[in-house]
Amino acid sequence: MLFQVGGQGTRPTFFEMAAAQQLPASLRAALTYSLGVFALRRPFLHKVLDYDDEFFALLMMVLEAHSLRTTDASFSESLYGLRRRAVKITHKKHSSNMESNDKIQHSGLEKHQKVISVAFLVILPYIKSKLHSIYNKEREARLQASLWGHDDDGLDESNFLLDPGESSHSQVESLRIEGSSLTHMKKRIMAIIAACYPWIHATNEGLSFAYQLLYLLDATGFYGPGLHALGVHVCRATGQELMDSSSRISRIRSRELERLRGPPWLKAVQRVLLSCIYTTLDYAQTGLIAAVFFFKMMEWWYQSAEERMSAPTVYPPPPPPPPPKVAEDGIPLPPERTLCPLCSQKRVNPSVIAVSGFVFCYACIFNTNGALSH
């Protein structure tokens, strides 16, 4: 999964950055489809599908935090051999002409940059997904209201739950006002989100497109506004960095094992749990990518099988009927198809008989029909 590691320059190509950015969306679609297939036989998985935004955000938070901690790259960037580097611009002045010369230096990510990177990679997409769902619901509600009109508010549910003889009019009125105020406030917030979301989405997409266009034209080193806000460049990883990442992971895990406290049996349990977590994280990247390819292959397999089953059966065409037999006192057909059976000459103004399908000259068949009719 590593592309162009140690290639020309450390700046990734536009296609590498685009592939790394689109990988989480493809991964989410594949996981959602896989859970939907499993939910057909395991109904309890429908609860996970009801909270797919939270489930995927939690999964990506674990993967992104582990990847940034160990490799200084996001989950998708590490698959393409990319690393994040903090940008430091130093100003140097020449003693001869006193002209300033800017030089960009890269260093490793700091702790707060990793935390903010997780927020940009996980929390912001989660908020955007929730705002998008709220906007879609509000738009559907407005469309339904425009088609069917606003339904008149019926009787309050409190009128059915409370006995008019035992409850006072003030209690019913207070419950109705409280419920209506909460509902009105909720609808007001939904309406504000629905009105503001298109502008927020358009601004975000416009900034992203502008940064990507400038990155493609080599006018900036930042692929997106989030990277610019963090002051982070995405660079290709060198071979030495790839080899050093394994040693860094081993050092981090050895320090975590040394920090274990408690009796021996508790330390043993903690070591087992940590080893399971480490194994899961080590194979999470390759396992998820393999699962995506596996389920997409299964989707293609079952889809092609369903198409074959639903497609109508095409039978081969029947064989042509045998040539008609000539009657004992009849006229045989000429050897060539262009000849008229009556005059044995080349057909002139061919005419077909609808009853038999034979073709004659128009004059021959017309005179023959006239003679037979008389």
Side-chain angles (χ1 to χ4, degrees):
M1 297 299 294
L2 303 180
F3 296 93
Q4 298 188 11
V5 176
Q8 295 181 355
T10 59
R11 185 176 184 271
T13 62
F14 175 81
F15 300 102
E16 288 177 297
M17 297 297 297
Q21 186 184 31
Q22 295 173 2
L23 182 61
S26 303
L27 180 61
R28 177 175 180 174
L31 289 178
T32 303
Y33 173 79
S34 304
L35 290 175
V37 173
F38 282 125
L40 297 176
R41 296 190 177 184
R42 299 293 184 270
F44 69 91
L45 291 176
H46 285 288
K47 297 181 180 179
V48 179
L49 293 175
D50 294 338
Y51 300 95
D52 57 341
D53 292 334
E54 290 76 10
F55 173 76
F56 186 76
L58 182 61
L59 175 63
M60 292 306 298
M61 182 174 291
V62 174
L63 294 178
E64 299 289 1
H66 176 261
S67 181
L68 286 168
R69 183 186 179 189
T70 55
T71 63
D72 286 343
S74 66
F75 172 75
S76 56
E77 291 167 354
S78 61
L79 291 176
Y80 288 91
L82 305 178
R83 295 293 182 268
R84 294 193 171 198
R85 297 288 180 263
V87 179
K88 294 183 179 180
I89 301 177
T90 58
H91 301 277
K92 293 184 178 181
K93 294 183 178 180
H94 298 282
S95 59
S96 59
N97 51 7
M98 297 297 291
E99 292 180 355
S100 62
N101 186 18
D102 297 339
K103 183 179 181 181
I104 297 177
Q105 295 181 352
H106 296 93
S107 61
L109 294 180
E110 298 180 0
K111 186 175 181 180
H112 72 278
Q113 289 178 328
K114 295 180 181 180
V115 174
I116 300 176
S117 296
V118 173
F120 274 97
L121 292 170
V122 179
I123 298 177
L124 288 184
Y126 170 74
I127 295 175
K128 182 180 177 182
S129 177
K130 301 304 288 185
L131 291 177
H132 185 71
S133 61
I134 292 173
Y135 171 74
N136 286 335
K137 291 180 182 178
E138 187 66 17
R139 185 180 61 178
E140 291 176 359
R142 288 200 306 266
L143 180 60
Q144 186 176 3
S146 63
L147 293 176
W148 302 101
H150 295 281
D151 296 334
D152 296 334
D153 294 332
L155 295 175
D156 192 8
E157 294 181 356
S158 59
N159 295 332
F160 297 96
L161 297 177
L162 299 176
D163 188 3
E166 298 179 358
S167 61
S168 62
H169 180 71
S170 60
Q171 293 177 350
V172 175
E173 188 68 19
S174 62
L175 291 175
R176 187 183 65 81
I177 293 174
E178 183 180 357
S180 62
S181 62
L182 291 176
T183 304
H184 180 72
M185 184 181 298
K186 183 178 179 181
K187 290 182 178 180
R188 187 65 177 173
I189 295 174
M190 298 278 285
I192 293 173
I193 293 175
C196 297
Y197 176 74
W199 297 98
I200 297 173
H201 180 70
T203 303
N204 181 36
E205 294 297 326
L207 284 175
S208 299
F209 175 76
Y211 271 92
Q212 292 174 11
L213 181 61
L214 292 174
Y215 187 87
L216 181 62
L217 298 175
D218 202 5
T220 181
F222 302 100
Y223 185 77
L227 295 174
H228 197 177
L230 288 172
V232 172
H233 277 175
V234 179
C235 307
R236 283 200 188 99
T238 61
Q240 186 64 33
E241 288 176 343
L242 294 176
M243 290 187 294
D244 292 342
S245 61
S246 59
S247 61
R248 181 193 303 177
I249 294 173
S250 62
R251 288 196 304 268
I252 293 173
R253 293 177 178 179
S254 62
R255 287 197 302 265
E256 290 179 351
L257 293 176
E258 291 175 357
R259 295 175 184 175
L260 298 178
R261 296 292 182 269
W265 65 270
L266 182 59
K267 290 183 179 181
V269 173
Q270 292 176 353
R271 287 193 184 94
V272 172
L273 292 177
L274 286 176
S275 62
C276 295
I277 294 173
Y278 294 154
T279 304
T280 303
L281 292 175
D282 289 338
Y283 294 97
Q285 293 181 345
T286 55
L288 286 176
I289 300 301
V292 169
F293 282 104
F294 174 75
F295 283 110
K296 295 303 287 184
M297 184 182 65
M298 295 299 294
E299 179 186 7
W300 169 80
W301 177 267
Y302 284 110
Q303 184 177 1
S304 60
E306 291 177 359
E307 290 178 353
R308 288 195 301 268
M309 293 177 63
S310 60
T313 304
V314 179
Y315 296 99
K325 296 181 179 180
V326 182
E328 295 179 358
D329 55 349
I331 301 175
L333 295 175
E336 295 185 10
R337 296 184 179 182
T338 59
L339 300 179
C340 176
L342 295 177
C343 63
S344 299
Q345 302 294 328
K346 190 174 182 179
R347 285 193 296 266
V348 178
N349 193 5
S351 299
V352 64
I353 302 299
V355 178
S356 61
F358 294 112
V359 183
F360 305 91
C361 297
Y362 178 77
C364 296
I365 195 65
F366 182 78
N367 294 332
T368 303
N369 289 336
L372 291 177
S373 60
H374 291 294

